[in-house]
């Protein structure tokens, strides 16, 4: 079984400040990791994913995340946020290819990022 | 290239009625997933389907819920005799070939309100 914990339910930040949204996961098998963004009344949009290789992954809209296997973390960062980044962010995990949980996403409870002018 | 489409976007049902939610996957995608988002919670996996087959329904409630993905037409999530606890946002996602099942594209969701 897998689980995802997003450590902050809400993160307020001022425009142009850096931000980090924290995510820890638990799994007994190899995993793929994802960050999605959800704007109000919309579906989820994939920001970035880690499958293998370099532990630092870059995504859309200037976001990046670092996979840390020893700490079972996958924190999302952006060096300078904009008002338009205000949204809810979800961390998710899937078992890696070949496993029974492959393709079945398990989501964290979400972090609401609010960017203030 | 149209994305994943879901309809209706909003659905209101009285307790005891049936709710039918539709999902058309992206063109070329033959794998469909349904997730439910309850208030104040993240998305929970419900069911994974391929054309004419249910592959994994481990997240589906045992009663009143069913899903199908026919050879022709959209995938349908059906909830019979709805109760207030069914009020939630239901999201559909689709993915391309089985080797890329992790690559899921989400629709805008159907927000079900049970009165």
């Amino acid at each position: 079984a897998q689980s995802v914990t997003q450590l902050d339910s809400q993160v307020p930040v001022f425009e142009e400040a850096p931000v980090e949204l924290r995510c820890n996961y638990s799994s007994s098998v190899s995993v793929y990791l994802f960050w999605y963004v959800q704007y109000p009344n919309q579906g989820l949009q994939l920001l970035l994913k880690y499958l293998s290789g370099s532990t630092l992954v870059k995504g859309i809209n200037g976001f990046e995340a670092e996979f840390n296997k020893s700490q079972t973390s996958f924190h999302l960062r952006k060096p300078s946020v904009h008002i338009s980044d205000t949204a809810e962010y979800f961390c998710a995990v899937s078992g890696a290819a070949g496993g029974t949980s492959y393709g079945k996403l398990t989501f964290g409870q979400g972090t609401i990022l609010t960017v203030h002018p | 290239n149209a994305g994943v489409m879901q309809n209706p976007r909003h659905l209101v049902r009285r307790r005891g009625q049936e709710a039918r939610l539709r999902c058309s996957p992206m063109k070329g995608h033959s794998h469909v997933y349904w997730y439910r988002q309850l208030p104040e919670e993240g998305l929970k996996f419900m069911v994974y389907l391929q054309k004419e087959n249910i592959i994994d329904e481990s997240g589906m409630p045992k009663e009143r819920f069913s899903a199908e993905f026919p050879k022709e037409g959209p995938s349908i999530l059906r909830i019979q005799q709805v109760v207030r606890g069914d009020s939630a946002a239901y999201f559909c996602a689709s993915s391309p070939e089985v080797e890329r099942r992790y690559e899921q594209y989400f629709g805008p969701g159907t927000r079900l309100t049970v009165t």
Side-chain angles (χ1 to χ4, degrees):
Chain A
Q2 293 147 351
S3 65
V4 177
T5 303
Q6 291 183 241
L7 297 158
D8 306 291
S9 59
Q10 297 193 49
V11 173
V13 65
F14 286 107
E15 193 173 18
E16 297 184 8
V19 70
E20 177 180 81
L21 306 184
R22 297 180 293 168
C23 172
N24 286 97
Y25 70 93
S26 172
S27 176
S28 58
V29 300
S30 296
V31 296
Y32 296 158
L33 293 154
F34 309 84
W35 275 99
Y36 284 87
V37 60
Q38 184 181 30
Y39 298 101
N41 296 316
Q42 295 187 27
L44 278 71
Q45 181 182 4
L46 180 65
L47 276 178
L48 48 79
K49 61 181 182 286
Y50 171 79
L51 305 181
S52 65
S54 173
T55 57
L56 182 64
V57 293
K58 294 188 183 297
I60 61 172
N61 300 341
F63 285 93
E64 64 181 32
E66 185 152 21
F67 170 56
N68 188 319
K69 188 174 182 179
S70 63
Q71 297 188 6
T72 61
S73 68
F74 191 55
H75 301 332
L76 181 71
R77 301 186 183 98
K78 186 170 183 177
S80 176
V81 295
H82 302 288
I83 298 287
S84 59
D85 292 324
T86 295
E88 189 161 18
Y89 292 78
F90 291 95
C91 182
V93 63
S94 162
T100 57
S101 58
Y102 174 50
K104 185 191 301 185
L105 294 174
T106 300
F107 286 86
Q109 292 190 308
T111 298
I112 297 173
L113 174 65
T114 305
V115 181
H116 298 284
Chain B
N1 187 14
V4 177
M5 299 177 69
Q6 291 187 250
N7 67 80
R9 294 290 306 275
H10 300 274
L11 182 62
V12 179
R13 285 287 179 265
R14 290 199 180 104
R15 279 178 297 173
Q17 291 185 320
E18 178 180 286
R20 291 171 69 90
L21 288 62
R22 295 175 186 77
C23 169
S24 296
M26 286 183 70
K27 186 177 180 180
H29 287 191
S30 57
H31 303 262
V32 165
Y33 311 79
W34 286 93
Y35 294 84
R36 177 166 65 173
Q37 184 178 32
L38 293 167
E40 309 297 323
E41 294 186 20
L43 283 74
K44 305 284 189 201
F45 169 81
M46 298 181 75
V47 61
Y48 161 44
L49 310 103
Q50 293 179 22
K51 287 281 188 181
E52 301 184 280
N53 284 303
I54 296 174
I55 307 302
D56 182 347
E57 57 181 347
S58 57
M60 288 277 271
K62 293 287 185 285
E63 298 176 347
R64 302 187 297 107
F65 285 71
S66 63
E68 63 178 9
F69 189 16
K71 187 176 180 181
E72 301 290 338
S75 175
I76 305 286
L77 179 68
R78 184 164 70 167
I79 311 172
Q80 296 177 298
Q81 299 178 319
V82 296
V83 301
R84 288 225 172 107
D86 297 332
S87 294
Y90 293 82
F91 291 93
C92 166
S94 71
S95 68
E97 68 273 11
V98 67
E99 292 79 14
R100 292 164 58 194
R101 280 173 47 191
Y102 59 82
E103 193 174 314
Q104 295 181 23
Y105 297 83
F106 283 78
T110 293
R111 280 153 182 83
L112 172 66
T113 302
V114 180
T115 61

